[in-house]
Amino acid sequence: MLNSLKVIMIIIGIILFNTACQSGNQGTLMENNIEPQGAILYQSEKHSAIYGTHNEEENIKIFSNSGNDSQLKTDLINKYQIPKEWGENVTGVKTRLDTTDKVIALTLDACGGVNGNGYDAELIYYLRTENIPATLFINSRWIDANYWTFWALNRIPIFELENHGTHHRPLSINGREAWGIKGTANVGEMVDEVLHNHRKIESITGKAPKFFRSGTAFYDEIGVKVANDIGEEVVNFNVLGDAGATFSKEQVRDALLNAGPGAIVLLHMNKPDRETFEGIKLAVPELKRRGYRFVKLEDYPLK
């Protein structure tokens, strides 16, 4: 009887200790004035400090469905050979919503890499507070550098997370370049560029991405077919929103105010030091006044 009483007292002590620890952690966040969006960044930095960033080769091993994917890659290599088109608007690329409704789809790219792993927390927080849906095209390298932020973004219902490639390369069968970035050199590399990040996103979020946008948004028509065969629609844009986050806030505002019904706008969420957020903030109230609302790509058929 005495031993049983001791066991019960130990269990109660453990429960009280854990409760106190959790309350203490929440208190620290609030005392440091870390807003919930900031808490996402805090957890991301904390994770990186403890565990380091994710290694790309390790991720490929973790997220690849090796047997089936290997056969798919072989089948697609044998299927496609000679391209006839090259550019942003080749056959099969979708550039707008198939509707006359007064709706606009904001699409935000996170490109990744040495100069592309930033995170515009102010922009994301603004979209959340204004309840503005958006489609986020995320590159594999950005996920590696911002793993817990990516994990948290997936849990915000107004956002959908889609595929922006593994190494941010144009989809080419012969290594063609776009904007100084060398494209994939063959069908096998095309498959890797789409499929590795497809598997990574699927593994983390539990949902396979439905849409793909390549690094630079350039393709030949074979690249588009390869992405389609993997299960993703290729989506570009009909409104250049920030020109790779180089536009001033006034230029971003003007681009958005020129968007019509069914527009897909290309913007960036990985350049917090640029003026994309300020331009969006200038344009949104006027667009709402004109009767526009914002949607995700999955909300409408595309054309």
Side-chain angles (χ1 to χ4, degrees):
M1 181 67 177
L2 183 59
N3 288 338
S4 298
L5 182 60
K6 286 182 178 179
V7 170
I8 293 170
M9 292 302 293
I10 290 170
I11 292 171
I12 292 172
I14 291 171
I15 292 170
L16 291 173
F17 177 78
N18 288 336
T19 302
C21 287
Q22 292 170 4
S23 299
N25 288 338
Q26 292 172 357
T28 300
L29 290 178
M30 294 306 295
E31 288 165 12
N32 291 335
N33 295 318
I34 298 178
E35 186 276 329
Q37 181 62 38
I40 293 175
L41 296 174
Y42 172 83
Q43 294 295 339
S44 178
E45 292 167 359
K46 181 178 178 182
H47 180 273
S48 297
I50 297 173
Y51 300 107
T53 56
H54 288 235
N55 179 275
E56 176 60 29
E57 291 183 1
E58 291 177 357
N59 277 328
I60 289 173
K61 292 176 184 176
I62 293 170
F63 299 121
S64 176
N65 184 353
S66 56
N68 294 337
D69 289 356
S70 177
Q71 185 59 52
L72 173 62
K73 185 174 178 178
T74 299
D75 291 344
L76 292 178
I77 289 171
N78 293 333
K79 184 176 181 180
Y80 297 119
Q81 293 299 327
I82 302 173
K84 297 179 182 179
E85 302 176 57
W86 177 248
E88 294 178 335
N89 297 305
V90 302
T91 300
V93 173
K94 307 300 175 65
T95 59
R96 56 160 295 157
L97 308 176
D98 189 6
T99 181
T100 57
D101 294 349
K102 297 183 77 171
V103 292
I104 295 173
L106 301 182
T107 66
L108 309 177
D109 287 3
C111 303
V114 176
N115 299 313
N117 283 332
Y119 172 51
D120 198 336
E122 282 190 296
L123 169 56
I124 295 300
Y125 181 60
Y126 174 76
L127 296 178
R128 288 171 59 198
T129 56
E130 294 294 319
N131 196 32
I132 297 174
T135 300
L136 314 182
F137 280 95
I138 312 292
N139 180 255
S140 179
R141 301 170 304 171
W142 194 92
I143 297 173
D144 292 339
N146 301 276
Y147 181 86
W148 289 107
T149 300
F150 177 82
W151 184 91
L153 288 170
N154 178 56
R155 281 150 180 80
I156 301 173
I158 61 171
F159 299 142
E160 62 174 336
L161 276 55
E162 301 297 344
N163 189 353
H164 196 34
T166 303
H167 296 293
H168 198 257
R169 301 174 70 184
L171 286 193
S172 165
I173 200 171
N174 51 16
R176 292 188 70 168
E177 292 187 2
W179 302 107
I181 299 176
K182 185 175 177 58
T184 54
N186 50 58
V187 173
E189 289 189 4
M190 284 180 180
V191 174
D192 291 343
E193 179 65 17
V194 179
L195 190 56
H196 285 165
N197 199 41
H198 178 102
R199 293 295 184 215
K200 179 181 291 187
I201 293 172
E202 183 178 27
S203 178
I204 297 170
T205 67
K207 297 174 288 188
K210 300 180 290 295
F211 306 116
F212 178 81
R213 177 179 291 154
S214 72
T216 74
F218 266 67
Y219 320 79
D220 57 36
E221 79 279 11
I222 291 177
V224 176
K225 291 176 181 177
V226 166
N228 292 163
D229 284 344
I230 290 172
E232 301 186 26
E233 286 190 270
V234 176
V235 182
N236 274 359
F237 55 94
N238 65 346
V239 175
L240 184 63
D242 65 0
T246 64
F247 275 179
S248 69
K249 59 186 177 183
E250 291 83 9
Q251 289 174 308
V252 173
R253 174 201 62 199
D254 293 345
L256 283 166
L257 293 182
N258 283 323
I264 298 175
V265 185
L266 172 62
L267 299 154
H268 289 77
M269 56 172 278
N270 65 317
K271 297 286 186 179
D273 57 333
R274 306 297 174 81
E275 298 188 14
T276 297
F277 162 54
E278 296 296 334
I280 291 173
K281 190 166 64 171
L282 289 174
V284 164
E286 175 60 20
L287 288 170
K288 287 183 174 179
R289 189 191 68 78
R290 295 179 185 180
Y292 280 91
R293 57 188 179 88
F294 299 92
V295 298
K296 297 179 283 190
L297 292 180
E298 66 183 6
D299 295 331
Y300 280 85
L302 307 178
K303 70 175 184 178

